[in-house]
Amino acid sequence: MVERPIGPVAVFGASNFPLAFSTAGGDTAAALAAGCPVVVKGHSAHPGTGEIVAEAVLAAIEKTGMPKGVFSLVQGGDRHVGAAVVQHPRIKAVGFTGSLGGGRALFDLCAQRPEPIPFFGELGSVNPMFLMPEAMKTRAEELGAGWAGSLTMGAGQFCTNPGISVVLDGADADRYTAAAKAALEATDPQTMLTDGIAKAYRDGKERFETRNSVRPVYTTPSEGRVANPNLYETTGDNYLQDHALGEEVFGPLGLIVRVGSVEEMVTLAKGFEGQLTTTIHMDAGDMADAAKLTPILERKAGRVLVNGFPTGVEVVDSMVHGGPYPASTNFGATSVGTMSIRRFVRPVSYQNFPKELLPEDLQ
Amino acid sequence: MVERPIGPVAVFGASNFPLAFSTAGGDTAAALAAGCPVVVKGHSAHPGTGEIVAEAVLAAIEKTGMPKGVFSLVQGGDRHVGAAVVQHPRIKAVGFTGSLGGGRALFDLCAQRPEPIPFFGELGSVNPMFLMPEAMKTRAEELGAGWAGSLTMGAGQFCTNPGISVVLDGADADRYTAAAKAALEATDPQTMLTDGIAKAYRDGKERFETRNSVRPVYTTPSEGRVANPNLYETTGDNYLQDHALGEEVFGPLGLIVRVGSVEEMVTLAKGFEGQLTTTIHMDAGDMADAAKLTPILERKAGRVLVNGFPTGVEVVDSMVHGGPYPASTNFGATSVGTMSIRRFVRPVSYQNFPKELLPEDLQ
């Protein structure tokens, strides 16, 4: 048995990663590593960058004598362009990073083809963090400031941005909130990558402003492409009753959920949809409580962390950047790390083959 | 990183394998091995067998102290029963062996769920064999008789039944055809597993009888559940023009396709849909011709064979029982062998976890 390339792969450029996840980004690298030709559908947010990178790839193809058809870039912001790419009979799989709405539409097209093909979509996440009582007792301020730093990194334009903190209500929660607020106040205004991302961020903030279920802790207006941070808080009861509070706001917007007990944390955890990451902050004294959360959190996410912030995603063998729907459309896959190649290969069994006819890597 | 179970798996009983692919068959074993609870939708062809096997599983659960929810059997031939099972929010994946029509309907339901889930369907195959000139010169009779044996094994009720032989027209093809015919004539009548399978076999034969593009070589009427073998032949041109000739007839029906050259074999191979298996029969002198076919055949099937018949499927590490659509709905998967477990696990990355909180297999 050997893994063989599955055929031409369509890769969709991501608005938030013009380099790491677009023309020559992770999906393209994984598909090429698997031995598959790549057709990139460039993102309309950065057509020029896409073009420059594509020219570099084409120059490399020429220099190394690779077949020219191994890479192409298709430009065009219209939805029909993307639809035509994923519906082409020669395309055998799709790699995508983007919004739930756009991703689900393409996923549906892939599933409805006469010959259905896999759609590997990474569709975002609120990346909840659970702050355990002993850790909060000893370092609520440090955790609050750390969260604010992770939340505002890259103007909050990371899929792994931790948008929600779940804490036990009380004095430690107050210290955490105050520290996060202070750190956000000290954050310089940041510029978002596109007008579309900036508008979606303002719309997301509007969603929070207009509901009684949340209390503003720190809010600042954002205009044009500038993104200022925003912080809200709510109770566990309100959170469970208002499904929209669990939807991703792409940008530096944080929500603190105050609960009455670790048991309520567990209830809240059970209610979360699929996530890219979930995080526990804990001290040694929190072990028994953390053990109640872990079996739930690992079912909800592709990566679970202890005492860290999820924003950074390392390209390593053990990385899983994916998770149950809607974090991704394919919970067995990762779009970052060595395992991302696995999406674009299929096993073939060679029975009783003479050595000369086997693929080179089997010989 | 460690592979974790994905959650409850629905397994559909197969009409043609009351034991190996139903209540306690390959899919159930793979899901349990992955750590997933199983809900079997029993096949209406053998409800009693399903019940007996389920009772044995339940007795084993009791004896070993496993949680009772780890296995359930749902009976009912109505389509709504199967639909309800795959649409239940707790079900996270489906294992299925059966027809293209029924499988595609369930695949669509899985893809259309609010939370889409993977559907691992094995939907059948015509398993074409390519007979190379030198091999035919030295052993056409042996090959023809061998094919007839593989074609009639288990009354032809194997997904891996080789329904099509592609040969070079001429005297060797005549010897092959005569030997296959003689072996089929000597085959005793066999009884099929269900009335439904037997009726579908008669319908498939009817499809061949009513078209001018094929010539009967040996045909016998079949009544009730009895299946007698049938053999037809056609030309490469006719085959390429009549798409229905490439559709599976489940049972001991063979089609010989006579072509004018090895190049025409290659053209024919390119036109085949996804298969569970493809086979080359060759001698040392056929190496150059076989090398033209191999790169195409390995893209068409999950298992490629040289000088063997595909009917037997061994449960081993290297087995791939799957392939491009419509052989299966998920070309990266196998429903037989150790790798079949991989369908029901998902990778989870544990970042900075204290040893006590890790799953036992990571500790």
Side-chain angles (χ1 to χ4, degrees), chain A residues 105-190:
Chain A
L106 290 170
F107 169 88
D108 289 343
L109 289 179
C110 290
Q112 289 157 8
R113 286 167 48 124
E115 178 193 356
I117 56 170
F119 176 84
F120 298 101
E122 193 272 85
L123 310 182
S125 182
V126 292
N127 304 294
M129 303 201 310
F130 294 81
L131 297 117
M132 308 310 286
E134 292 299 317
M136 285 286 275
K137 227 178 264 174
T138 55
R139 50 194 169 97
E141 283 84 5
E142 182 195 325
L143 289 167
W147 180 39
S150 179
L151 196 61
T152 52
M153 190 183 288
Q157 298 164 111
F158 283 88
C159 320
T160 47
N161 205 33
I164 291 180
S165 287
V166 184
V167 298
L168 287 192
D169 197 13
D172 296 333
D174 294 343
R175 288 164 54 215
Y176 180 79
T177 307
K181 184 186 174 188
L184 293 178
E185 281 170 344
T187 305
D188 288 331
Q190 292 176 291

Side-chain angles (χ1 to χ4, degrees), chain A residues 109-307:
Chain A
L109 289 179
C110 290
Q112 289 157 8
R113 286 167 48 124
E115 178 193 356
I117 56 170
F119 176 84
F120 298 101
E122 193 272 85
L123 310 182
S125 182
V126 292
N127 304 294
M129 303 201 310
F130 294 81
L131 297 117
M132 308 310 286
E134 292 299 317
M136 285 286 275
K137 227 178 264 174
T138 55
R139 50 194 169 97
E141 283 84 5
E142 182 195 325
L143 289 167
W147 180 39
S150 179
L151 196 61
T152 52
M153 190 183 288
Q157 298 164 111
F158 283 88
C159 320
T160 47
N161 205 33
I164 291 180
S165 287
V166 184
V167 298
L168 287 192
D169 197 13
D172 296 333
D174 294 343
R175 288 164 54 215
Y176 180 79
T177 307
K181 184 186 174 188
L184 293 178
E185 281 170 344
T187 305
D188 288 331
Q190 292 176 291
T191 304
M192 299 193 104
L193 281 160
T194 74
D195 292 337
I197 294 178
K199 183 179 179 310
Y201 178 60
R202 290 196 301 273
D203 290 348
K205 184 192 170 185
E206 184 74 14
R207 257 201 292 135
F208 275 75
E209 293 286 332
T210 52
R211 40 202 355 116
N212 296 323
S213 55
V214 298
R215 193 181 74 77
V217 175
Y218 172 69
T219 67
T220 43
S222 297
E223 274 180 26
R225 281 207 196 172
V226 172
N228 288 308
N230 291 283
L231 185 61
Y232 299 86
E233 65 175 21
T234 191
T235 63
D237 279 348
N238 279 342
Y239 183 84
L240 287 175
Q241 279 160 32
D242 190 351
H243 186 263
L245 296 180
E247 290 169 16
E248 184 182 19
V249 177
F250 201 67
L253 184 147
L255 174 66
I256 296 169
V257 183
R258 292 181 180 238
V259 297
S261 63
V262 170
E263 282 61 41
E264 202 181 337
M265 277 193 183
V266 171
T267 305
L268 220 68
K270 285 183 179 167
F272 273 108
E273 295 191 308
Q275 303 290 335
L276 291 170
T277 72
T278 53
T279 300
I280 298 174
H281 290 281
M282 60 178 285
D283 279 358
D286 292 312
M287 197 63 79
D289 287 335
K292 294 176 196 162
L293 274 173
T294 306
I296 298 151
L297 296 186
E298 69 172 27
R299 287 206 294 270
K300 298 288 180 180
R303 179 161 58 107
V304 287
L305 299 85
V306 165
N307 294 335

Side-chain angles (χ1 to χ4, degrees), chain B residues 77 157 195 203 217 231:
Chain B
Q157 298 163 109
D195 293 336
D203 291 348
V217 175
L231 183 62

